[in-house]
Amino acid sequence: MQYGRFAEFYDAMMHDVDREAWADYVDSFLKEYEAHNILDCACGTGSMSIALYRRGYHVIGNDVSPEMLIEARNNAFKAGAKTIIFICEDMRRLRIHKPVDALLSVCDGVNYLTSTNDVFSFFQSAYDCLKPNGVLLFDVSAPYKFESILNQNTFTEETDAYAYIWKNMYDPKTRLCQMDLTCFVKNGATYDRFSETHLQRSHTVEELTGLLERAGFTDIRALEAFTQKPARADSERIQFAARKE
């Protein structure tokens, strides 16, 4: 199960991510494309949905994990963003009541689609959910990150409240990365232990660009994340922008 109990601790474990700066970056694209109504796919605990709501956008968030959506609703309530609608839905089969100006997927949502068929299904579904001239924005962990940073590496962290061990096993032939997470959560004088296994795929720029074109998107850009510069071979994260004609 991906993002089961781990959902409760996801925000704490992402403490080193500057979410406001990330939201500013996404906001720059939304302004460029004059988008107002947003669908945030694989929204997780709702951090991007809430950040964009605060910037004046009308936001719908969806995720396939009920546990993540519980956290998203709680976070939105605490932030005073009670009008954000959260839907439990598979990003490969999106259904919304009316088209939106922009569709987002941030922080590896597309990496969790582990086949080209799954990615294409998402792109097709996203295309159908967008208004004419609407924009699809998503980022991926790049092949370089899987091959040179995650590949066969183990990461750990310990705090007063929790500790985790994150083991990565990357297969360059299938381009699949199995991530085994073991968490220890403080419970009085002892720790509760639980584990999850996540699976992500490394997608190339050429592969994703071809699938976007096949789905009908144009004006496709692949940028080094958090910049407006073209993606490079050693980019760790790549930001895509593509327009529906």
Side-chain angles (χ1 to χ4, degrees):
M1 175 65 181
Q2 298 182 152
Y3 295 113
R5 189 177 176 190
F6 180 52
E8 297 176 42
F9 309 99
Y10 179 82
D11 286 334
M13 293 177 182
M14 294 286 284
H15 62 83
D16 58 339
V17 175
D18 189 338
R19 296 186 174 187
E20 286 303 309
W22 201 327
D24 286 341
Y25 182 62
V26 171
D27 187 32
S28 69
F29 288 97
L30 297 176
K31 285 185 169 63
E32 176 185 348
Y33 288 93
E34 299 182 345
H36 304 285
N37 300 303
I38 316 299
L39 177 60
D40 183 11
C41 293
C43 67
T45 59
S47 60
M48 183 60 70
S49 297
I50 294 166
L52 294 178
Y53 171 89
R54 286 171 169 166
R55 287 162 173 77
Y57 295 98
H58 180 270
V59 185
I60 300 171
N62 73 25
D63 201 285
V64 74
S65 166
E67 292 83 358
M68 290 293 259
L69 289 175
I70 289 171
E71 298 302 317
R73 290 191 181 99
N74 289 339
N75 288 338
F77 184 83
K78 293 174 186 175
K82 299 178 183 178
T83 61
I84 298 177
I85 298 170
F86 291 105
I87 304 168
C88 191
E89 190 174 51
D90 190 320
M91 65 193 294
R92 295 168 297 178
R93 294 178 288 276
L94 299 171
R95 296 290 185 271
I96 54 175
H97 66 289
K98 63 180 180 179
V100 293
D101 302 316
L103 192 145
L104 316 175
S105 182
V106 303
C107 198
D108 294 353
V110 173
N111 290 113
Y112 277 99
L113 302 175
T114 55
S115 72
T116 54
N117 285 339
D118 285 344
V119 175
F120 183 62
S121 293
F122 168 55
F123 289 167
Q124 280 187 309
S125 191
Y127 190 92
D128 291 340
C129 289
L130 285 168
K131 295 177 182 178
N133 292 316
V135 62
L136 170 62
L137 301 170
F138 68 92
D139 61 78
V140 292
S141 286
Y144 175 82
K145 179 179 177 181
F146 284 100
E147 295 162 4
S148 302
I149 298 174
L150 298 180
N151 189 12
Q152 315 310 322
N153 275 337
T154 298
F155 304 94
T156 64
E157 183 179 25
E158 182 179 359
T159 72
D160 291 338
Y162 66 85
Y164 69 79
I165 303 169
W166 171 19
K167 297 180 180 179
N168 297 280
M169 290 168 284
Y170 179 67
D171 184 340
K173 292 182 180 178
T174 63
R175 289 190 273 144
L176 293 175
C177 185
Q178 179 175 312
M179 303 170 175
D180 293 324
L181 288 154
T182 302
C183 299
F184 303 86
V185 181
K186 187 79 168 177
N187 184 7
T190 63
Y191 285 83
D192 293 335
R193 173 179 172 171
F194 66 93
S195 299
E196 290 188 13
T197 295
H198 293 230
L199 193 64
Q200 291 191 5
R201 186 173 188 268
S202 167
H203 305 294
T204 68
V205 169
E206 294 76 15
E207 184 176 59
L208 292 171
T209 300
L211 292 170
L212 285 166
E213 290 174 342
R214 182 178 157 201
F217 286 97
T218 60
D219 299 331
I220 299 165
R221 289 185 282 170
L223 307 171
E224 180 155 3
F226 313 116
T227 78
Q228 294 296 326
K229 299 176 182 178
R232 307 181 307 181
D234 62 349
S235 296
E236 294 184 25
R237 182 170 299 280
I238 299 173
Q239 174 70 46
F240 280 83
R243 186 191 294 274
K244 175 177 178 175
E245 285 191 296

